[in-house]
């Protein structure tokens, strides 16, 4: 049974990197009909906040990354960690160390002066026949893990390939502080063990922790999971992810009008591939996902591609859903839905050209509002030549049936009668209805509005001088 986990530290929002880690862990479990565990690594009390926990849960929920177990909180598992530390003390795989901070500083200074890497020298590490220093009074010891001194720790990373670290490069890690609280790497080990995690999929900033974690797992007689360390994500510019994109909360993508399925599809391709496939559903992704097609090199964020995918998913989305989303956004803007034209009809006309739901909402606000074109646009498109054409078209319109073919015929007839080309009428009409010139085809635009509203808007435009 495959069991994966996502183990965020709640010190900020769920950003793109974290979301991709969560997605890959989730998809791997789903692909293998396994289980996906959510664990909140909140032992850093100074930096963990309930708001950050909520932000992570909100982000996962928005992306639809449902977990089967948890959320487990490390702060609620302290008794368990302490019990395991006790077991290790009894088994001799951990030991108390009474070295004071001052002694450690002296040690560090000596090592640095010699040009050595600073490391704990094992002075309290018990060995057969070794005399330990005299027990100091009034000092609470830290607990250190008895790291093997010989050999190497090796694992076949599912992304990076074989990694080997010599034990001689590692000193004895502190697993409990003097106040008895367990440390980060130790909690992760006990959790992965207790939660039966079979594949640890996480960011490659944890590669350095892995040999220590494997050594502790071995000391506990616990099975060692497989590891897959995902390479980092760079920004559009090849630099570290910036606030503009990626380094922000996934919920900001919601604010900016991205659909969760577009973000999922986008994240799936950040470092993973299935041939040349770019557009695929969540179900397809789960079916295809494996750890063999993850690239070990850094992935690069590409805002244009995200926008392109989002436009695709908006086009695909059904109109009632888009309309409901636009109404939610209008309410957040304190904009009233005047229903003229209806949100549904605007969405239907604009969804093929919108890259984001924010753009769709803008279109609704614009069409329902009372448009006032800028003086420049009026000067450009409402001229001595076009005014009479617009006025004639108004008269023509008042007599036509209210459907796109009839409106289109009236447009052509008016233009023919004035020996003019489409822009001479289309542009002023766009100004009358929307206040600007970027719109879908003008006959479809006109048909969105009730006839009397169109006549009223034309009158308003004609009434204003240039
Ligand atoms: N809590 C760690 C983080 O947020 C992840 C630890 C892990 O996946 O092992 O970076």
């Amino acid at each position: 049974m495959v069991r994966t986990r996502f183990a965020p530290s709640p010190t900020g929002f769920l950003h793109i990197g974290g979301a991709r880690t969560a997605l890959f862990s989730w998809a791997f479990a789903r692909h293998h009909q396994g289980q996906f565990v959510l664990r909140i690594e909140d032992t850093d009390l100074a930096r963990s906040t309930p708001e950050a926990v909520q932000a992570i849960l909100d982000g996962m929920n928005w992306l639809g990354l449902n977990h089967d177990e948890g959320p487990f909180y490390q702060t609620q598992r302290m008794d368990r960690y302490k019990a395991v530390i006790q077991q290790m003390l009894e088994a001799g795989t951990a030991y108390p160390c009474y070295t004071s901070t001052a002694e450690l500083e002296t040690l560090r200074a000596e090592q640095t002066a010699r040009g050595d890497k600073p490391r704990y020298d094992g002075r309290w590490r018990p060995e057969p026949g070794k005399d330990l220093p005299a027990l100091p009074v009034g000092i609470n010891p830290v607990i250190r893990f008895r790291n093997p001194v010989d050999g190497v720790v090796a694992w076949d990373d599912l992304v990076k390939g074989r990694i080997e670290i010599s034990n001689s490069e590692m000193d004895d890690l502190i697993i409990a502080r003097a106040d008895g609280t367990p440390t980060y790497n130790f909690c992760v080990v006990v959790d992965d063990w207790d939660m039966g995690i079979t594949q640890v999929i996480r960011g490659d900033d944890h590669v350095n922790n892995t040999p220590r974690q494997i050594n502790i797992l071995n000391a506990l007689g616990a099975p060692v999971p497989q590891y897959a360390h995902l390479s980092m994500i760079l920004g559009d510019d090849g630099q570290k992810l910036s606030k503009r994109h990626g380094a922000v909360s996934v919920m900001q993508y919601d604010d900016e009008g991205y659909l969760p399925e577009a973000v999922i599809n986008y994240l799936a391709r950040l470092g993973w591939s299935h041939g040349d496939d770019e557009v695929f559903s969540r179900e397809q992704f789960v079916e295809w996902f494996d750890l063999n097609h993850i690239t070990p090199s850094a992935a690069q964020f590409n805002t244009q591609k995200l926008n392109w995918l989002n436009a695709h998913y908006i086009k695909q989305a059904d109109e009632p859903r888009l309309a409901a989303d636009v109404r939610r956004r209008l309410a957040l803007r304190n904009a009233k839905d005047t229903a003229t034209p209806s949100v549904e009809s605007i969405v239907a006309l604009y969804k093929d050209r919108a890259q984001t739901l924010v753009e769709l909402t803008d279109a609704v606000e614009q069409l329902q509002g009372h448009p006032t074109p800028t003086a420049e646009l009026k000067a450009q498109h409402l001229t001595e030549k076009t005014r009479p054409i617009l006025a004639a078209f108004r008269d023509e319109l008042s007599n036509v049936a209210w459907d796109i073919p009839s409106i289109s015929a009236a447009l052509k007839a008016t233009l023919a009668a004035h020996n003019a080309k489409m822009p001479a009428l289309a542009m002023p009409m766009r100004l009358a209805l929307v206040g600007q010139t970027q719109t879908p085809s003008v006959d479809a635009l006109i048909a969105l509005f009730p006839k009397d509203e169109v006549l009223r808007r034309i009158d308003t435009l004609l009434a204003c001088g240039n």
Side-chain angles (χ1 to χ4, degrees), residues 320-378:
R321 173 185 174 201
L322 293 175
D325 190 276
V326 164
R327 287 207 172 86
R328 172 176 73 95
R329 289 171 195 275
L330 286 174
L332 287 172
R333 296 177 182 189
N334 288 320
K336 196 169 166 311
D337 172 12
T338 66
T340 308
S342 72
V343 172
E344 278 75 7
S345 65
I346 300 174
V347 158
L349 185 60
Y350 275 75
K351 68 182 227 180
D352 284 355
R353 53 195 281 124
Q355 280 200 332
T356 68
L357 296 164
V358 167
E359 285 177 20
L360 269 187
T361 311
D362 290 346
V364 169
E365 238 197 302
Q366 202 170 46
L367 267 67
Q368 288 189 350
H370 291 277
T372 39
T374 61
E376 277 128 297
L377 283 175
K378 276 189 291 188

Side-chain angles (χ1 to χ4, degrees), residues 5 7-9 39 41 184 188 192 200-202 205-206 213:
R5 56 26 166 219
S9 306
R39 174 166 93 219
E41 303 205 320
Y184 171 74
V188 171
D192 284 340
V200 169
I201 301 169
R202 63 184 172 196
D205 46 334
H206 291 283
Q213 293 180 2

Side-chain angles (χ1 to χ4, degrees), residues 35-172:
Q35 273 157 354
F36 176 56
V37 178
L38 178 60
R39 174 166 93 219
I40 305 292
E41 303 205 320
D42 57 349
T43 50
D44 184 345
L45 297 178
R47 294 177 61 225
S48 303
T49 66
E51 292 76 26
V53 172
Q54 195 53 49
I56 290 164
L57 296 175
D58 290 347
M60 304 269 297
N61 193 35
W62 184 68
L63 291 169
L65 303 180
N66 55 325
H67 51 273
D68 304 296
E69 286 177 28
F72 298 109
Y73 292 83
Q74 288 186 326
T75 46
Q76 289 171 14
R77 290 177 41 78
M78 288 297 150
D79 290 347
R80 170 66 181 150
Y81 305 136
K82 287 178 184 171
V84 177
I85 286 173
Q86 198 51 44
Q87 273 172 31
M88 292 177 75
L89 286 170
E90 282 159 21
T93 52
Y95 61 92
C97 166
Y98 294 85
T99 318
S100 67
T101 319
E103 288 173 309
L104 282 175
E105 269 162 25
T106 313
L107 177 64
R108 167 182 287 267
E110 287 166 4
Q111 288 167 333
T112 320
R114 280 200 304 271
D116 292 345
K117 217 167 102 193
R119 52 182 287 154
Y120 175 64
D121 62 358
R123 62 183 67 175
W124 285 92
R125 177 178 167 122
E127 303 286 1
K130 170 177 165 187
D131 289 331
L132 293 180
L135 266 192
V137 278
I139 291 191
N140 286 327
V142 300
I143 308 296
R144 288 187 186 265
F145 169 62
R146 208 183 141 91
N147 200 74
V149 279
D150 302 320
V152 292
V153 200
W155 76 97
D156 291 307
D157 197 279
L158 296 172
V159 176
K160 297 191 180 282
R162 189 159 183 83
I163 300 183
E164 284 188 5
I165 311 287
S166 164
N167 272 319
S168 63
E169 284 178 36
M170 285 179 275
D171 60 4
D172 289 350

